[in-house]
Amino acid sequence: MPKRKTTTNKRKIGTQYGRALIQPSTINVETREVEVVIATETPVERFGWEFEEDFDEVLVCDAAAVRMDRANRGLPVMDCHNTYSVFNQIGRSSEVWFDEVNRKLCGRITFSRRASVEELFHDIQDGIVKDISVGYQVCKFERIDQGEGRRPIYRAIDWMPLEISFAPVQADINSEVRTGRAENIVEIINQQTLKTKTIMSKKRSVEEGQTIQYTVEGEPVKTGDIVTLEDGMQGVALDDGEVGDTIDLTVIEQTGEGVDPAAVAAAEEAAAAAEEAAVAATEAATGAEDAAAAAKEIAKTAEEAARKRAVAIRFSTRAAKLPDAFALQLIESKKTVDQCRQAIIHELAKSGPKANGAHAIGVGVSGADKKRSGMQNAILHRVMPSTFKLEDGAREFRGMTLIEMAKELLNERGINTRGLSKMEVADRVFGGQRSISTSDFPSLFGGVIERMLRGDYTFAPEYWDKIARQTTVADFRQKQLYQIDSANGMQKVAEGEEIKYTKMVEGDESIRVESFAEGIKFTRQAFINDDLGAFSIIPSRFVRDWDELRGNLVWGLITGNVTMKDGSKLFSAAHFNLLTGANSALNEAGLSAAQVALRRQKGLDGKRVLRIDPAFLIVPPELEVTARKLITATTPTTTDGANVFANAFDVIVENRLTDKDAWYLSADPNAVDTLYYAYLEGNESLRVNSEDDFNTDAMKYAVRGDFGASAIDYRGMVKSAGK
């Protein structure tokens, strides 16, 4: 029969959360009651961050194992384990009992009659909400070793239910210790089977009962293992040892002789005594540590930081598929978490494939970047599904709330989020406990805003870019614009004579770009409430504002009739581009007069006719019908009825033109310099900057654009006053 030994140790553990089941057939609408199965003895896999091993947890469901102090008074029924407010309590248990045949803990709960609970109660009746979860506190575990390769079983033989919650998903493996919750000491009774290992070593000449030193070979050895030496002797290990370690053995058999039961028992007692002494020392250290933690808050904070550091390091090494021994080495080092992650990268590089020959090393997109990109598309699709289609990489995030997305990004950074409440996640995103780097969640929203600013939206059309020419400037200083002095023209050049060069001169007019901005805040409240309403206003607010701003600046040059550097207005008699009186009305005669005025414009020398062809007829809304009739092709019966301006110009109707009688004829701005607009080089579109302010409960985003407009010449446009 295999021998077993029992040891006891202690660990800190917080409130746990496990699955429970609702019994739909027991719903009583009149009394607002329903029966539930609070717990069963079905094993549930747990990730044992506190216990340094994964295990299967079993809640023993009998009167001897369950503390009924709270249950007998009635357990509160909560919304998603949210115990921060009494308004999150939606009911209370009226009775709790044991089903001894089926090994279950059962209960009956009564719902509140508050109006805010009514909708949930209807969803429970309709079978929409049917999952519940129980919060409980474990005081004592019995650990049963299952042997190599199998998770041990932790039987909760002393535990107490605390509350029952309705939740979208049952806890299962996603329910872990809630960081920030009250912790208690749990006692673990370890039932371990002694194993016999056959490990060959060199021959030794020793006597029974003697303690010898042994160098571990073949495979690791645990305290209490029986080791068979090469010459047939056996010994009981008094220490744990990895391959290559030197440990103590107590000899229990000589060569060729049978095993002496008394010697085996003595060796086992020695091994057990050694381990119990180690456990006692550990318990004493734990007690001293707890006392110091109670006396000094600083020590408690340091301990919590160390635990989180160890969890983060272990998470990162497991994700990289590196051995736990390497994780332990990093944990025992003085390195920060970021430094440990760099060490993990270097370790992977050492064990990874080598580049050789024509093979190249490529840098891919990190897991966090891929997740953030997918989340951006999922948020965009959720806010504006008709504009932003769901991409393949975003489908896994389609149904996630912002809280769940934040947890994903935290987990990607190696930060455990299992069991964190909405408030605790929000603290790590907005509050003083911020754990997400500035490249994560703030950048997630910044990317969403960037994409929305570049979306294809249908607003009232803008035509200012048709009548003005684009340029760029390197900075925010005045930029002088050049004009060509074409006074020489093409001239005959006799053999040997010097060519007369056309001069490029700096013009009198200049252009300057200025910055424009407006901001948006995403608050902690909106994050917790999963409210994306702030993003829905971006197209109608920021994009439209940007379009209107640029249009106002360009059209403002025309409606304001700006003064040029020569002291005359853009449209003036001095510039020969302002028509008044009888020939200024919008009709055939007026169009003819404006066309002639445009074509008679002369160059910088005042002599050379530029031969400008009009391209755009620009009118206010009041003259739109008249303008379109004037350029519409007809089928006349006589030459007098022919429309000479049929399809001659493109009509631009601009609401900013407030003078209902005035109209304009303009050349193509790429053929004749008249109006210019400019962007700062490399910033032709809106851009987003985020401000990570740790003193506020909001993420701040500034939407900025750099733009300028200027009239540099008057020759490409004619104004008709129309009266």
Side-chain angles (χ1 to χ4, degrees), residues 319-425:
K321 294 182 171 55
L322 293 174
D324 286 345
F326 186 68
L328 183 59
Q329 177 183 339
L330 293 177
I331 291 171
E332 292 177 348
S333 72
K334 301 297 183 182
K335 295 178 180 178
T336 65
V337 173
D338 287 340
Q339 290 172 334
C340 289
R341 289 182 180 134
Q342 289 294 325
I344 290 171
I345 293 173
H346 290 312
E347 185 70 17
L348 286 173
K350 289 193 298 184
S351 59
K354 304 295 183 182
N356 59 81
H359 293 85
I361 300 176
V363 180
V365 180
S366 71
D369 290 338
K370 289 180 179 179
K371 284 188 176 182
R372 192 164 55 245
S373 177
M375 290 176 185
Q376 285 176 2
N377 179 251
I379 292 174
L380 288 166
H381 179 72
R382 178 175 158 190
V383 176
M384 300 187 69
S386 60
T387 302
F388 299 97
K389 303 302 180 184
L390 194 67
E391 300 169 357
D392 290 340
R395 298 189 184 281
E396 62 177 303
F397 308 111
R398 181 177 187 176
M400 281 191 179
T401 64
L402 297 178
I403 293 287
E404 291 168 332
M405 291 183 185
K407 286 185 175 182
E408 284 286 324
L409 292 174
L410 280 166
N411 289 334
E412 191 67 33
R413 293 287 178 183
I415 301 169
N416 183 25
T417 63
R418 292 188 179 91
L420 289 184
S421 69
K422 290 182 179 180
M423 299 295 182
E424 290 167 327
V425 174

Side-chain angles (χ1 to χ4, degrees), residues 60 62-73 75 96 98 105 136-140 156-162 184-187:
V60 177
D62 59 37
V66 183
R67 299 188 184 188
M68 297 292 288
D69 308 55
R70 292 176 180 264
N72 291 335
R73 296 200 309 266
L75 298 173
V96 177
F98 293 97
L105 180 64
Y136 56 95
Q137 184 181 76
V138 178
C139 299
K140 184 181 294 185
I157 59 174
D158 184 0
W159 63 280
M160 177 169 60
L162 302 176
N184 65 285
I185 299 297
V186 59
E187 183 180 350

Side-chain angles (χ1 to χ4, degrees), residues 142-332:
E142 180 184 60
R143 181 187 181 280
I144 301 177
D145 191 0
Q146 294 286 90
E148 293 292 338
R150 299 179 61 189
R151 289 189 301 271
I153 295 176
Y154 277 59
R155 298 179 73 248
I157 59 174
D158 184 0
W159 63 280
M160 177 169 60
L162 302 176
E163 49 92 2
I164 304 170
S165 285
F166 279 85
V169 181
Q170 291 174 325
D172 288 346
I173 62 172
N174 292 320
S175 293
E176 288 294 329
V177 176
R178 289 215 170 182
T179 304
R181 297 280 185 170
E183 295 182 327
N184 65 285
I185 299 297
V186 59
E187 183 180 350
I188 304 173
I189 301 174
N190 185 23
Q191 300 287 349
Q192 181 181 358
T193 302
L194 293 175
K195 297 171 289 183
T196 301
K197 293 182 180 289
T198 301
I199 302 176
M200 304 305 292
S201 180
K202 297 179 180 179
K203 292 185 178 181
R204 307 178 191 274
S205 177
V206 293
E207 297 179 358
E208 182 177 317
Q210 182 179 346
T211 298
I212 64 173
Q213 287 192 326
Y214 165 71
T215 300
V216 179
E217 299 177 5
E219 59 179 306
V221 173
K222 297 291 184 181
T223 301
D225 288 349
I226 298 176
V227 179
T228 300
L229 305 178
E230 183 178 324
D231 54 5
M233 291 189 299
Q234 291 182 319
V236 177
L238 302 182
D239 309 293
D240 293 347
E242 298 292 333
V243 175
D245 291 346
T246 300
I247 64 173
D248 289 336
L249 294 180
T250 296
V251 178
I252 60 174
E253 181 185 7
Q254 290 184 341
T255 305
E257 296 180 2
V259 178
D260 183 357
V264 173
E268 291 176 352
E269 289 176 2
E275 183 163 344
E276 287 174 1
V279 171
T282 300
E283 291 178 354
T286 301
E289 182 181 352
D290 290 343
K296 298 180 181 179
E297 187 63 27
I298 296 177
K300 180 178 179 181
T301 303
E303 179 186 354
E304 178 66 13
R307 189 190 69 80
K308 290 181 178 179
R309 173 180 174 274
V311 169
I313 293 172
R314 190 181 297 113
F315 184 93
S316 298
T317 54
R318 289 184 178 181
K321 294 182 171 55
L322 293 174
D324 286 345
F326 186 68
L328 183 59
Q329 177 183 339
L330 293 177
I331 291 171
E332 292 177 348

Side-chain angles (χ1 to χ4, degrees), residues 476 512-516 546 553 705-708:
F476 294 100
R512 182 176 183 173
V513 165
E514 296 179 301
S515 288
F516 304 89
W546 180 235
L553 292 175
D706 304 308
F707 187 78

